[in-house]
C-alpha cells in the first residue's frame, strides 16, 4: 500500500500513520520491522497497541535509524572509525472514539522523545494528532487526517534544526470484503506541494 495508510491502518502501526486509528485495534497488536539501507545504514521500528474498550486505545513505539559508522582518515592517511550518526524516537499515543458526538469518529494524540546524534547529540519532544471518520457508505469508506512531529526542535552545539513536520490526508475504500483502495496526500513542512 506504499504510504497510503492514514485512513486504512488498523494495527499498532497507527501510532506512526494516524494515532486516531489506534481505536481500530481489535484487542492488541504488535509490529516489528528491520530494513537495511545503503552501506550499513538501517531502520528499525517496533510498536504495540491495545484496545481498552470504553476507555479507548493506547500504543507505544520505538523508531531507530542509523546511518552506519563513518570511516575517516587521519593525518597519515590511515583509516579511523568516526561517529555513527543515528536518530531515536520513543513515543506513546492514546485514542478514543467520540460515540457521544458522532458514533465511530475517533481522535488520537501522541507524544514522543526524539534524540538525534551526528557528532554531538540533541533531543526534544514532539507531538502528533489525528482524526478518523466513522465508516461511511455502508461501511465502505473512511477518511482520516494526521499531523506529526509538531513542537520541538533539535539544538546541536551551534545550530538549531526543526524536526520535519508532516500533515497527511487520506481515504480508504473497501469496494468488496477482499479489496481495499487507499490514497494519501502528505505535506512535508518547508517543501512545496506538487
Amino acid at each position: 500500500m506504499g504510504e497510503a495508510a492514514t485512513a486504512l491502518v488498523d494495527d499498532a502501526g497507527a501510532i506512526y500513520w494516524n494515532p486516531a486509528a489506534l481505536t481500530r485495534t481489535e484487542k492488541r497488536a504488535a509490529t516489528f520491522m528491520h530494513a537495511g539501507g545503503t552501506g550499513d545504514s538501517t531502520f528499525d521500528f517496533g510498536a504495540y497497541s491495545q484496545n481498552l474498550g470504553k476507555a479507548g486505545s493506547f500504543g507505544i513505539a520505538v523508531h531507530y535509524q542509523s546511518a552506519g559508522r563513518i570511516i575517516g582518515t587521519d593525518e597519515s592517511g590511515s583509516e579511523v572509525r568516526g561517529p555513527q550518526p543515528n536518530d531515536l524516537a520513543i513515543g506513546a499515543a492514546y485514542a478514543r472514539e467520540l460515540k457521544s458526538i458522532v458514533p465511530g469518529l475517533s481522535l488520537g494524540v501522541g507524544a514522543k522523545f526524539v534524540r538525534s546524534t551526528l557528532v554531538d547529540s540533541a533531543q526534544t519532544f514532539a507531538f502528533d494528532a489525528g482524526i478518523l471518520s466513522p465508516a461511511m457508505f455502508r461501511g465502505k469508506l473512511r477518511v482520516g487526517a494526521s499531523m506529526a512531529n509538531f513542537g520541538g526542535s533539535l539544538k546541536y552545539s551551534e545550530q538549531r534544526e526543526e524536526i520535519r513536520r508532516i500533515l497527511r490526508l487520506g481515504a480508504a475504500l473497501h469496494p468488496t470484503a477482499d479489496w481495499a483502495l487507499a490514497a494519501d496526500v502528505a505535506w512535508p513542512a518547508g517543501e512545496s506541494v506538487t
Side-chain angles (χ1 to χ4, degrees):
M1 296 303 294
E3 294 189 2
T6 304
L8 185 65
V9 66
D10 61 359
D11 60 18
I15 196 169
Y16 178 83
W17 298 107
N18 182 357
L22 286 169
T23 59
R24 298 198 59 215
T25 302
E26 287 188 26
K27 292 182 182 176
R28 60 185 65 89
T31 184
F32 302 96
M33 182 191 79
H34 171 77
T38 57
D40 58 350
S41 65
T42 59
F43 178 77
D44 298 293
F45 174 75
Y48 172 82
S49 64
Q50 185 164 345
N51 191 318
L52 303 172
K54 292 181 181 179
S57 301
F58 81 94
I60 55 173
V62 176
H63 310 185
Y64 179 77
Q65 184 170 358
S66 171
R69 179 72 62 188
I70 295 174
I71 304 297
T73 55
D74 62 14
E75 296 84 21
S76 66
S78 300
E79 282 190 358
V80 293
R81 292 180 65 131
Q84 184 172 350
N86 62 76
D87 296 319
L88 171 71
I90 301 170
Y94 174 78
R96 189 172 183 131
E97 228 179 275
L98 302 178
K99 293 180 181 180
S100 61
I101 299 171
V102 176
L105 178 68
S106 297
L107 290 179
V109 294
K112 60 185 123 181
F113 168 78
V114 178
R115 186 191 74 213
S116 180
T117 303
L118 299 172
V119 174
D120 296 324
S121 291
Q123 58 255 349
T124 190
F125 286 92
F127 302 94
D128 304 334
I131 187 168
L132 184 66
S133 78
M136 303 174 286
F137 302 106
R138 297 183 194 161
K140 296 186 181 293
L141 175 69
R142 281 187 193 269
V143 294
S146 68
M147 47 189 215
N149 301 327
F150 281 77
S153 59
L154 297 166
K155 184 172 185 320
Y156 298 95
S157 58
E158 296 292 324
Q159 185 174 349
R160 184 172 296 277
E161 291 287 331
E162 293 294 323
I163 298 175
R164 186 171 145 186
R165 293 185 280 266
I166 302 171
L167 299 173
R168 293 185 183 96
L169 178 63
L173 176 68
H174 294 271
T176 69
D178 297 327
W179 287 88
L181 304 170
D184 272 22
V185 177
W187 293 276
E191 296 180 19
S192 61
V193 178
T194 56

